[in-house]
Amino acid sequence: MSWYRVVHGVVAIGMGVGFARVAEAQGCSPAACTGSTVVDHTFASGSRWNFSVQNCPCEGMVIQKASYMPVGGTSRLVLGQGSIAELHVPYVMGTPRPLDVTNAGLGFNALTLTEAECAGGTLLANNQICQNVDDRGYAWKFRDNFQRGESVSVSMASQLGQYTYINQWEFHDDGTIEPRMGLSGRLQQVRSGAGYAPYGSRMDSETNETPVYGISHLHNIYYRLDFDIDGAANDAVEQMTFQPSTSPSPDSSCATPGTCGVNVRTPIPLEAAQDLAPESYTSWFIYDKTSTNADGRNVGYELVPHIEGLWTGEVSTTEPWSAHEFWVTRYNGCESLAVGNFPPHIASGCSTAPTNVSAMVDGQSVDGQDVVVWYVNRHLHVPRDEDQDNMPMSWLSFELRPRSFHHKNPLEP
C-alpha cells in the first residue's frame, strides 16, 4: 500500500517503507544500449575532444573512446569507457539501502529532455542526453595576460522515485575531465515520531505535537573508468600522497615537525583496493609505461578527489564493496558493475564473473596492463528546510587531470 503525506509542501511518497516505486532495469548488457552518438568538438583555442556517448539501461549515460588533442598537437586516447557502475543510497536508520543502478537503472529511468532544458545546446540519444559548450572562466592568468577556458559537456537526467539525478561529464579545453553528479527532486524519506530525531532534520512546525523528520542518507556514486592512455595496453597506476618529513631538505633541517613534507609515489603492481586519506592529499596517477611527452616523462592522468567525507557500510556482511574508495583491476569484459555484477545485469555468458568490485581484486598484475580504475564519490545529505518542496541542486564531482600528458600548458601553441 502506498502512502502520501504533505508537510510544509514536502510530498513524501512510498511503498511500505516509504520508498517510491521505480521502474526496474531489465538487463544491462552493451547490446541493450541505445542512441550512440559521436561528439567531436574543437574549441576556440584549437584543442579538441572526440568521444561517443550512449544510453545503457543500468549505467545510463556511458562515455566511450574519449581522445584529446592539445593545441598544435596530436590526438591521444584517454578513456576507453567511463560510466557510473552503482549508486548506493543507504538511509541512516538502517533501511532502506537501495542500489539505484542495478535495482532500478539510470538509463531505464532516464527522462526525455526538452529544448528549454538544453538551452543553447544539442539534444542527443533520443532526446535523453544534452550536449552543451560553455565558458568555464579563466583557463589561466598571469599579471595582465589571461585566457578564457571552454568546456563541452554531456548530461542525462534520471528519475528514481522522488530523486532526480543529473549525470554530467565535462570535457575541458585543457584536457581535464570532470564527472559530476547533480542531486535534486524531492525528499524520499519522511517519518513521523520523536524517535527519528537523531536520524534526520525536523521539517514541520515546532508547534506540532507529532514531529516530522526528513531522514538523512548517503549517496555513494561508484564510477568505472577504463583508462586506455595512448591505447589499451601498457598502463600502470601509482598512488600519490603528501607525507610530513623531518629528514633534512636542501634548504632546511626540517627538524621541527610541520616544517617540511615530501611527495610520495607508490606503484600499485597488483590489483588492489585502497582508502582515501584526506590528510595525505591522496590522488592516483594512471599512465602509459611506453609513451612519453616531449620532456621524456610518461604520459598520464591524475584522479583528483573532491572529498566531502568518508563512510563504510555493512562491510562484514552484505556490503564488502563499501569498505574502500578506490580499486584498480585488470580489464575484464565481464566486470562492468561495482555491485550486482551478474546476469541479467551483465551478459549471460558472464555468469561466473565476480559479483562486486571487492571480489574483482584477486591478485592479477596491473603493471603494464589494460587497467580499470573504480572510484566512489560520497555525499551525506542531511535534509534542511530549504529542501522543501523541490530540492536545490547539489553537485559532487572529481577530476581527471592531465599529468605529463603534455610538456607544457596544452592551450599554448
Side-chain angles (χ1 to χ4, degrees):
M1 177 180 294
S2 63
W3 55 265
Y4 304 81
R5 172 178 287 131
V6 179
V7 181
H8 265 335
V10 172
V11 181
I13 304 175
M15 300 297 295
V17 295
F19 197 56
R21 184 181 297 277
V22 296
E24 277 198 32
Q26 303 297 315
C28 307
S29 67
C33 301
T34 61
S36 181
T37 306
V38 173
V39 176
D40 190 343
H41 184 77
T42 300
F43 298 100
S45 63
S47 63
R48 174 185 178 190
W49 273 107
N50 179 283
F51 57 90
S52 67
V53 62
Q54 62 182 345
N55 179 11
C56 297
C58 278
E59 301 97 319
M61 187 171 64
V62 174
I63 307 297
Q64 291 186 310
K65 300 296 182 183
S67 297
Y68 175 73
M69 184 186 74
V71 176
T74 58
S75 179
R76 291 183 192 264
L77 185 61
V78 178
L79 277 178
Q81 187 177 90
S83 61
I84 293 177
E86 190 51 271
L87 208 169
H88 183 216
V89 190
Y91 281 77
V92 300
M93 70 257 191
T95 186
R97 309 175 75 82
L99 298 167
D100 283 340
V101 166
T102 48
N103 288 349
L106 295 176
F108 198 71
N109 291 280
L111 298 173
T112 299
L113 305 176
T114 66
E115 290 185 0
E117 292 179 272
C118 191
T122 304
L123 289 170
L124 310 173
N126 303 314
N127 294 343
Q128 291 183 321
I129 294 175
C130 173
Q131 175 191 335
N132 276 107
V133 177
D134 296 296
D135 183 307
R136 63 180 181 87
Y138 284 119
W140 59 265
K141 180 173 173 60
F142 178 70
R143 295 180 177 170
D144 294 333
N145 300 312
F146 68 92
Q147 182 174 342
R148 302 290 295 186
E150 293 180 288
S151 66
V152 58
S153 68
V154 286
S155 58
M156 169 182 283
S158 301
Q159 190 69 43
L160 285 88
Q162 295 288 86
Y163 253 96
T164 309
Y165 293 100
I166 311 296
N167 179 16
Q168 184 177 85
W169 288 63
E170 291 186 355
F171 295 82
H172 296 184
D173 54 357
D174 66 356
T176 298
I177 304 172
E178 186 174 2
R180 307 174 74 219
M181 177 61 86
L183 310 174
S184 190
R186 296 188 174 186
L187 291 175
Q188 185 76 68
Q189 293 284 341
V190 177
R191 293 296 215 287
S192 298
Y196 288 103
Y199 304 103
S201 304
R202 187 159 184 179
M203 307 304 292
D204 65 333
S205 171
E206 293 287 337
T207 62
N208 288 351
E209 182 177 350
T210 302
V212 176
Y213 294 92
I215 303 301
S216 299
H217 51 282
L218 292 110
H219 296 270
N220 300 284
I221 304 167
Y222 290 76
Y223 287 86
R224 179 183 180 273
L225 305 167
D226 175 14
F227 278 97
D228 290 342
I229 304 292
D230 209 17
N234 302 315
D235 288 344
V237 184
E238 293 178 347
Q239 183 192 66
M240 300 176 64
T241 57
F242 175 76
Q243 302 293 339
S245 175
T246 54
S247 298
S249 78
D251 297 331
S252 172
S253 69
C254 299
T256 302
T259 302
C260 300
V262 293
N263 301 312
V264 178
R265 290 194 180 190
T266 306
I268 305 176
L270 303 177
E271 293 181 321
Q274 295 195 338
D275 297 328
L276 177 60
E279 70 277 8
S280 298
Y281 297 88
T282 309
S283 64
W284 290 271
F285 179 46
I286 303 94
Y287 63 97
D288 189 276
K289 295 193 72 172
T290 58
S291 297
T292 59
N293 65 15
D295 288 334
R297 285 179 282 279
N298 295 100
V299 299
Y301 265 69
E302 182 181 358
L303 191 158
V304 181
H306 295 171
I307 181 68
E308 288 192 14
L310 301 176
W311 174 85
T312 56
E314 299 173 355
V315 296
S316 63
T317 54
T318 59
E319 298 168 352
W321 33 267
S322 71
H324 307 282
E325 286 73 47
F326 179 90
W327 301 258
V328 56
T329 61
R330 188 192 293 192
Y331 176 83
N332 182 325
C334 288
E335 297 176 354
S336 57
L337 299 171
V339 186
N341 190 67
F342 48 78
H345 304 143
I346 60 175
S348 59
C350 295
S351 58
T352 61
T355 60
N356 64 77
V357 67
S358 179
M360 295 172 194
V361 176
D362 60 5
Q364 293 187 84
S365 172
V366 289
D367 183 21
Q369 304 292 330
D370 183 0
V371 303
V372 175
V373 161
W374 310 72
Y375 175 72
V376 58
N377 222 357
R378 307 192 190 279
H379 170 71
L380 173 64
H381 181 187
V382 180
R384 55 189 176 126
D385 288 330
E386 289 80 1
D387 287 337
Q388 307 175 95
D389 290 340
N390 299 309
M391 290 187 290
M393 188 70 69
S394 294
W395 290 97
L396 55 156
S397 68
F398 63 99
E399 289 180 83
L400 305 175
R401 294 179 187 166
R403 176 169 284 278
S404 299
F405 204 73
H406 327 283
H407 71 288
K408 62 177 182 177
N409 188 329
L411 298 181
E412 298 179 10

